[in-house]
């Protein structure tokens, strides 16, 4: 995907979810997580990154710092001590384990069994020195690797956020069943809306993309379709060609429906429709027109969004926010459409003919 545009990212998250101001800990924590992502997982869906940023925001009480669970020794030993129901699940076997292995880090790692497991994974003795889970680098590794590989509960973010699934709600099961699931899902979507990419990173990606035209199929076509906001079936058919031609015409390119280096460069640039959501200030004038109505998605603001909301029987404020996104995805699922929250020609047609 290239490098994440940090300036754009922090300008956006300053507004939501941080409420208008950023503290140094917010910036440091976000950068640590994004740095790790760009080094280890740049080819994975950036929805994973967004969800883990939202999780960290929640689990650290909005600080984005690796913190200790609130409470004292007596409280932790009473709640997590050997012989208690929770303590047994957490593998606490020795007197004082409840306090010694209370929650720490970005995801509140808790219990002797988890600390022992991560001692092995990290190659760091966090059993003898559990306070080391508060080190930012260690906290980041536990968050990212545990969530992506599914070490906490047996399920991973990739089970819920895929090319065909946007299950932000149940993604909470990666960390802690469904506790605060909707709240954290909404946080993840807010961070997702802040993820954009630098021109350098995206143009570099264009050099490695193949020429595509009608009749092509496979993963490269799916990648293209995600950027265009059409159904990601991996088949370069008439609908994909139609949207490519519209995009090329809008960007002043040769509107031939063939996706070569120039088209890839425009698609992968900051103002193109990406695998992530459109910038919050984008209107229909800068989006690809599909049929009589433009493509709209999370972050869009326009009269077309108002029309969409009226069709969905929502308050027509013209802002494609979390509630509109959830309702669109439910409508798509109910009508056997790809539940990606993107309203293109197929979803518009279904809405207008319901």
């Amino acid at each position: 995907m290239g490098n994440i545009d940090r300036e754009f990212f922090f300008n956006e998250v300053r507004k939501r979810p941080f409420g208008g101001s950023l503290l140094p800990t917010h910036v440091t924590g976000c950068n640590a997580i994004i740095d790790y992502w760009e080094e280890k997982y740049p080819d994975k869906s950036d929805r994973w990154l967004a969800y883990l940023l939202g999780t960290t925001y929640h689990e650290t009480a909005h600080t984005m710092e690796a913190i200790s669970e609130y409470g004292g020794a007596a409280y932790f030993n009473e709640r997590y001590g050997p012989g208690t129901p929770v303590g047994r699940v957490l593998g606490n076997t020795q007197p004082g384990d409840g306090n010694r292995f209370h929650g720490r880090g970005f995801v509140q790692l808790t219990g002797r069994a988890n600390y022992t497991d991560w001692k092995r994974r990290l190659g760091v003795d966090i059993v003898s020195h559990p306070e080391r889970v508060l080190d930012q680098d260690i906290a980041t590794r536990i968050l990212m690797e545990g969530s992506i590989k599914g070490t906490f509960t047996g399920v991973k973010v990739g089970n819920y956020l895929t090319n065909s699934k946007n299950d932000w709600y149940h993604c909470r099961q990666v960390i802690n069943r469904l506790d605060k699931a909707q709240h954290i899902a909404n946080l993840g979507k807010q961070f997702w809306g802040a993820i954009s990419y630098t021109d350098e990173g995206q143009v570099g990606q264009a050099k490695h993309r193949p020429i595509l035209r009608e009749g092509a199929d496979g993963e490269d076509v799916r990648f293209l379709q995600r950027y265009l906001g059409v159904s990601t079936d991996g088949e370069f058919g008439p609908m994909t060609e139609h949207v490519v031609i519209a995009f090329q015409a809008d960007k002043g390119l040769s509107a031939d429906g063939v996706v070569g280096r120039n088209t890839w460069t425009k698609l992968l640039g900051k103002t193109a429709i990406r695998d992530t959501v459109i910038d919050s200030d984008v209107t229909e004038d800068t989006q690809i027109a599909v049929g009589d109505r433009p493509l709209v998605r999370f972050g869009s603001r326009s009269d077309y969004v108002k029309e969409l909301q009226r069709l969905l029987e929502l308050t027509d404020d013209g802002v494609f926010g979390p509630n509109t996104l959830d309702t669109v995805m439910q409508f798509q699922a109910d009508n056997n459409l790809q539940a990606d929250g993107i309203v293109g020609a197929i979803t518009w047609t279904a809405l207008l003919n319901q």
Side-chain angles (χ1 to χ4, degrees):
M1 287 293 185
N3 295 321
I4 289 173
D5 186 333
R6 305 295 175 99
E7 180 180 1
F8 177 83
F9 175 84
F10 285 113
N11 282 340
E12 291 299 300
V13 298
R14 181 192 305 276
K15 293 177 281 188
R16 290 194 316 160
F18 290 107
S21 62
L22 285 172
L23 299 176
T25 59
H26 297 153
V27 176
T28 301
C30 287
N31 274 331
I33 294 168
I34 295 171
D35 287 345
Y36 193 92
W37 173 268
E38 289 183 339
E39 179 182 356
K40 300 290 186 180
Y41 297 104
D43 59 334
K44 301 299 183 183
S45 171
D46 50 24
R47 288 168 296 165
W48 298 7
L49 170 61
Y51 188 82
L52 297 182
L53 286 164
T55 294
T56 303
Y57 179 90
H58 171 74
E59 296 287 352
T60 65
H62 310 174
T63 67
M64 304 304 288
E65 283 186 293
I67 64 171
S68 289
E69 182 179 0
Y70 297 138
Y75 167 78
F76 293 135
N77 285 325
E78 180 179 352
R79 184 178 185 188
Y80 302 135
T84 65
V86 177
R88 285 193 292 270
V89 171
L90 293 172
N92 289 336
T93 58
Q94 305 297 319
D97 275 1
N99 178 49
R100 184 176 300 111
F101 300 114
H102 66 258
R104 296 181 179 90
F106 283 153
V107 290
Q108 299 302 292
L109 190 73
T110 309
R112 177 180 284 274
N114 284 321
Y115 277 72
T116 301
D117 178 47
W118 278 97
K119 171 186 175 180
R120 176 182 61 81
R121 294 177 185 276
L122 295 167
V124 177
D125 189 1
I126 61 172
V127 173
S128 298
H129 302 282
E131 71 281 356
R132 293 204 61 183
V133 176
L134 297 174
D135 292 349
Q136 186 177 77
D137 289 346
I138 291 176
T140 301
R141 288 177 63 188
I142 292 172
L143 164 74
M144 302 298 285
E145 299 299 334
S147 301
I148 291 171
K149 295 179 179 177
T151 70
F152 300 129
T153 62
V155 294
K156 49 194 176 183
V157 289
N159 295 134
Y160 302 102
L161 299 173
T162 69
N163 288 344
S164 59
K165 186 186 296 185
N166 281 289
D167 193 351
W168 297 83
Y169 180 84
H170 287 97
C171 201
R172 179 59 174 162
Q173 293 183 119
V174 171
I175 303 292
N176 189 5
R177 297 184 181 177
L178 292 177
D179 176 56
K180 306 293 185 183
Q182 189 58 59
H183 173 63
I184 298 169
N186 290 338
L187 288 170
K189 292 171 188 176
Q190 289 174 20
F191 278 105
W192 193 40
I195 296 176
S196 180
Y197 295 92
T198 61
D199 287 331
E200 293 81 4
Q202 296 290 31
V203 172
Q205 290 274 329
K207 298 177 182 177
H208 306 290
R209 291 288 160 191
I211 295 174
L212 299 175
R213 53 171 52 87
E214 187 173 11
D217 58 22
E219 289 304 314
D220 286 303
V221 176
R222 287 192 179 91
F223 184 87
L224 168 68
Q225 289 169 327
R226 287 197 295 273
Y227 271 69
L228 292 171
V230 299
S231 178
T232 55
D233 59 6
E235 301 289 335
F236 197 133
M239 176 58 72
T240 299
E241 183 184 49
H242 171 76
V243 178
V244 166
I245 290 171
F247 175 81
Q248 290 170 325
D250 182 62
K251 299 301 179 183
L253 303 172
S254 176
D256 56 8
V258 178
V259 182
R261 182 168 175 176
N262 290 338
T263 302
W264 276 121
T265 298
K266 289 291 186 181
L267 272 168
L268 298 173
K270 288 199 298 186
T271 58
I273 292 179
R274 306 178 304 276
D275 185 33
T276 53
V277 296
I278 293 175
D279 303 349
S280 60
D281 59 350
V282 171
T283 67
E284 72 274 10
D285 294 330
T286 58
Q287 297 179 36
I288 300 172
V290 182
D292 295 329
R293 291 168 176 79
L295 182 150
V296 294
R297 60 169 83 184
F298 185 73
S300 300
R301 300 167 184 263
S302 70
D303 288 338
Y304 288 103
V305 175
K306 290 184 179 181
E307 180 184 9
L308 167 67
Q309 290 167 328
R310 288 193 291 270
L311 290 168
L312 294 170
E313 299 182 351
L314 299 173
T315 301
D316 57 341
D317 60 5
V319 179
F320 199 133
N323 188 43
T324 301
L325 176 64
D326 290 341
T327 307
V328 166
M329 291 176 65
Q330 186 61 57
F331 174 84
Q332 291 170 323
D334 291 344
N335 287 272
N336 297 316
L337 305 176
Q338 181 175 335
D340 56 8
I342 299 169
V343 182
I346 296 172
T347 302
W348 275 120
T349 299
L351 282 163
L352 293 167
N353 288 283
Q354 62 180 323

